[in-house]
Amino acid sequence: MPDQSHPSSRGGSEATSARHLAQPLDAVDRRIVDQLTEDGRMSMRTLAETLHISRANAYARVERLRESGVIRGFRADLDPVATGLGTSAYVTLNVRQADWREIREHLLSLPGVVHIALVGGEFDVVLLVRARDNADLGRLVLDEIQGLPGVVNTRTLLVFEEHSPRHALLSD
């Protein structure tokens, strides 16, 4: 039976609801997403030519994927080390469940917090954080995150090497 006091068992955000209501992706949609994942700056003309569909079809499908929330945006893929953020870590948190929403809002505002995931298991939250160096990481974790009301404890896992798989979202 679900624990109603756990934050993940309460209602989700509008984005989460939209994802559950989206139409299933067909083969062309998946190829569009694959291509745009590889090169988000690809022109509609190039996309249409690559997939052997009309430009009108490409425009319509990309717009539908954007409106349905499948495509959330287009971003530059930055190298954190090249941007001056040479230290990365995963930080796990245990939190008082009643304080989750306030903790989440504060975490969203912290520079250096790249990703936040509410999870089930041994801990409640997993963060990916990036910092200039170990001293900056220590300040972020010890002063900013551990100091939040409702944070019970943290663990920091220093990242030595990272690799991002390319088509992780839509593999068949």
Side-chain angles (χ1 to χ4, degrees), residues 47-170:
L47 179 64
E49 289 172 356
T50 301
L51 300 180
H52 307 290
I53 60 176
S54 71
R55 258 193 274 181
N57 190 5
Y59 274 111
R61 284 176 175 267
V62 169
E63 186 58 27
R64 180 178 46 78
L65 291 167
R66 287 182 68 231
E67 287 177 0
S68 68
V70 172
I71 296 175
R72 297 185 298 187
F74 300 90
R75 296 168 190 81
D77 182 14
L78 304 177
D79 180 329
V81 174
T83 62
L85 300 174
T87 299
S88 297
Y90 287 97
V91 179
T92 65
L93 284 69
N94 285 345
V95 301
R96 285 194 309 261
Q97 305 304 319
D99 296 326
W100 164 241
R101 285 184 174 81
E102 293 79 24
I103 292 168
R104 179 190 59 208
E105 293 308 310
H106 190 80
L107 292 171
L108 287 168
S109 73
L110 289 177
V113 175
V114 177
H115 183 82
I116 303 169
L118 180 65
V119 298
E122 184 180 338
F123 31 82
D124 301 312
V125 180
V126 177
L127 308 175
L128 173 57
V129 299
R130 302 202 190 274
R132 289 186 307 275
D133 52 32
N134 285 350
D136 191 35
L137 175 65
R139 184 203 52 76
L140 178 62
V141 173
L142 298 174
D143 297 342
E144 298 288 339
I145 297 171
Q146 281 186 359
L148 288 174
V151 172
V152 176
N153 61 46
T154 66
R155 286 189 181 170
T156 302
L157 307 163
L158 194 58
V159 174
F160 295 125
E161 191 172 307
E162 287 185 79
H163 302 280
S164 296
R166 291 255 178 224
H167 299 282
L169 296 177
L170 296 174

